[in-house]
Amino acid sequence: MTSLNVIQPANGRSPIQPPLGGQSPEAFDYAALEAELKAYEQEQRSRLGIVQEKKEHWIDPNPQDFSKAQRAHTTLLIGGLTMAQDYLLAGALAGLGYRVVALQLADNEALRYGKEFGNRGQCNPTYFTVGNLIKTLDKLRAGGMTSQEIVDKYVFITAGACGPCRFGTYATEYRKALRDAGFDGFRVMLFQQQGGLRQGTGTDAGIDMNPKFFFAVLQAVLAGDLLNALGYRIRPYEVNQGETQQKLEECKKILHNTLKQRKSLTLGLLKCRRILSAIKVNRLQPKPKVSIIGEFWAMTTEGDGNYKLQNFLESEGAEVDIQLVSAWLLYNIWQVRYNTRRRMTLRGEDEGKQGLKGRSALKLLATMYVAELALRGSFKFFGSAAGLHNYVLPDMDEVATISHQFYDVHLRGGEGHMEVGKLILSAKKKKAHMVISVKPFGCMPSSGVSDGIQSLITARYPEAIFTAIETTGDGAVNVQSRVQMDLFKARQAAKKEYDELLQKTGLDQPAAERKLARRFLQRAIAYPKHLKGVAGTGATFLARWATAAG
């Protein structure tokens, strides 16, 4: 039999006896035992000189409130989406009576500010976005404003999030860096994915979160998505270099004024359609189509934060397929819908008739269903007005189903399972010749997927050309070199695909251009519906219309 060794107290007192001592559990005085243990602990602490200090937990104070009374003399600074959407959001909110300024695109100078005043070990989006704000405020101060005037007259609005990502601590990083840069008390407000607009822990009254506000934001986001999608479709095939970007800038101004003056967005988009339609293009070219996926900020930004990846790919002769913000909104709707259905099965563990105490699960599901219909319907309606034809937003149920066997959809953070699903669908349906996953160095959600799960996907689909790159703010040459190596293979695949389809038509290149010119080939907004098994735009034109044109 094993004996229990009891440590004898130094003062010679009797050791604590086994708890029950023959008594029944009901009769035993547990409170007395707890008190005796506590006294013994204090006695030993005193003997060893261990002083228990009072714990004071750190809190992130909310500097100030932004009230309605301050709205007239307070300027909202916004940023974080694409250049088009930031600019259009500024116009939309100005139309509601707010003073708004869209921050300039974050560059390497912003990165320097971020690293100077931010904590060590942060990811790229933190450094770039924090630094971009401080750079803006520093220029205001250099222009003659005092730090206190800036704190009193400006508010920054950014996105907030949760999950296994430093994105959830962005607001704290902003406030720390702002304090160290001399802007202590500057107000940073979070626009959460769920929960509305929050500053710290309270709901701010300076911004009316009413239907007009959400509709204005939705219009700006959709309009930005449409312009971006059209630009990436047209620019690689333009005959006159630089014409597309010039026309896009003209369209941005038209839509900005439309939203600011609260006029019809449809009419504004129709104007843009006429402007973009006039661009001369030649789509009978074997250009590789490259899809960019990955961490949201890294794949969305168009500046130094991802080494200007979109511009680099286009300069190398590729057509870039970007991920729209509208798809991210659909993903958030899907999350709420999926979570609600799962919680409805937890009646025993989760209080409430259907696992949602105080809420109606069916009403919530109906709300999400209507929200998805409204988003998809609005995108299709405004897209038709803008001339964005044959663009289909992803089916989130399909993405979840096809990726679940490789990456559990319950795992959240970043783009979750979407990155896996996008690569699989791209390979199975041949939506692109090459897929690039871009994320900040050390991004936990995206790196775990790209460096782990995607290797299994590429083993299952060896025809997929997949490149995972990480950004740090430097090392652009190394990243671009890696992209070029895989882009060479994508370029070969695109040419082979194009030549095979051209051969099937029985035409040579000049003859094909002459015959297909009558089939809307030279209209900039004309774009073929995706054909399964054909990725290239020029090849798709040949596959769909060459026979009819001949």
Side-chain angles (χ1 to χ4, degrees), residues 78 85-95 98 100-102 220 256 260:
I78 60 174
Q85 282 159 332
D86 287 344
Y87 181 58
L88 296 180
L89 273 171
L93 295 180
Y98 300 98
V100 190
V101 171
H256 176 89
K260 185 175 181 179

Side-chain angles (χ1 to χ4, degrees), residues 381-396:
F381 176 78
F382 290 129
S384 177
L388 183 66
H389 303 300
N390 296 320
Y391 193 101
V392 180
L393 289 172
D395 182 342
M396 288 300 162

Side-chain angles (χ1 to χ4, degrees), residues 94-269:
L96 296 178
Y98 300 98
R99 301 178 57 163
V100 190
V101 171
L103 298 181
Q104 294 181 349
L105 183 64
D107 55 13
N108 283 328
E109 185 184 5
L111 174 65
R112 180 181 63 80
Y113 273 95
K115 287 190 173 182
E116 179 179 354
F117 296 106
N119 280 315
R120 302 286 76 82
Q122 295 300 309
C123 59
N124 242 14
T126 312
Y127 285 137
F128 272 99
T129 53
V130 171
N132 201 32
L133 174 60
I134 296 177
K135 183 187 78 170
T136 302
L137 301 184
D138 196 44
K139 288 183 177 180
L140 291 174
R141 185 165 54 187
M145 294 185 68
T146 66
S147 297
Q148 191 57 48
E149 285 178 321
I150 294 172
V151 170
D152 293 338
K153 295 181 179 180
Y154 287 87
V155 172
F156 180 67
I157 299 179
T158 186
C162 59
C165 178
R166 283 161 287 207
F167 193 31
T169 65
Y170 270 21
T172 300
E173 289 299 326
Y174 275 111
R175 287 193 270 266
K176 181 267 179 193
L178 286 163
R179 182 177 64 249
D180 292 352
F183 300 101
D184 192 17
F186 189 89
R187 291 162 290 180
V188 177
M189 300 169 61
L190 296 184
F191 187 77
Q192 300 282 42
Q193 294 174 11
Q194 299 173 4
L197 189 65
R198 298 181 181 179
Q199 178 184 327
T201 58
T203 302
D204 190 88
I207 295 181
D208 292 327
M209 303 296 289
N210 52 32
K212 287 183 180 180
F213 176 85
F214 285 109
F215 186 64
V217 170
L218 178 62
Q219 283 189 316
V221 170
L222 290 177
D225 272 347
L226 296 175
L227 284 185
N228 287 333
L230 285 166
Y232 284 107
R233 277 185 171 186
I234 298 172
R235 195 164 38 237
Y237 301 97
E238 63 186 6
V239 174
N240 302 313
Q241 189 174 4
E243 183 181 9
T244 303
Q245 197 58 40
Q246 179 185 350
K247 300 294 185 183
L248 285 172
E249 294 301 323
E250 186 178 346
C251 289
K252 288 179 187 178
K253 292 179 181 178
I254 290 174
L255 296 180
H256 176 89
N257 292 331
T258 297
L259 294 170
K260 185 175 181 179
Q261 298 169 14
R262 302 185 65 184
K263 294 183 178 180
S264 171
L265 179 61
T266 305
L267 294 178
L269 291 170

Side-chain angles (χ1 to χ4, degrees), residues 12 17 19 34 76 88 91 106 174 210 226 248 254 266 287 396 398 436 439 443 457 495:
Q17 299 300 318
E34 185 67 28
L76 306 180
L88 296 180
Y174 275 111
N210 52 32
L226 296 175
L248 285 172
I254 290 174
T266 305
K287 287 183 174 288
M396 288 300 162
E398 180 185 22
I436 298 178
K439 80 282 299 175
C443 173
I457 306 301
K495 190 174 189 311

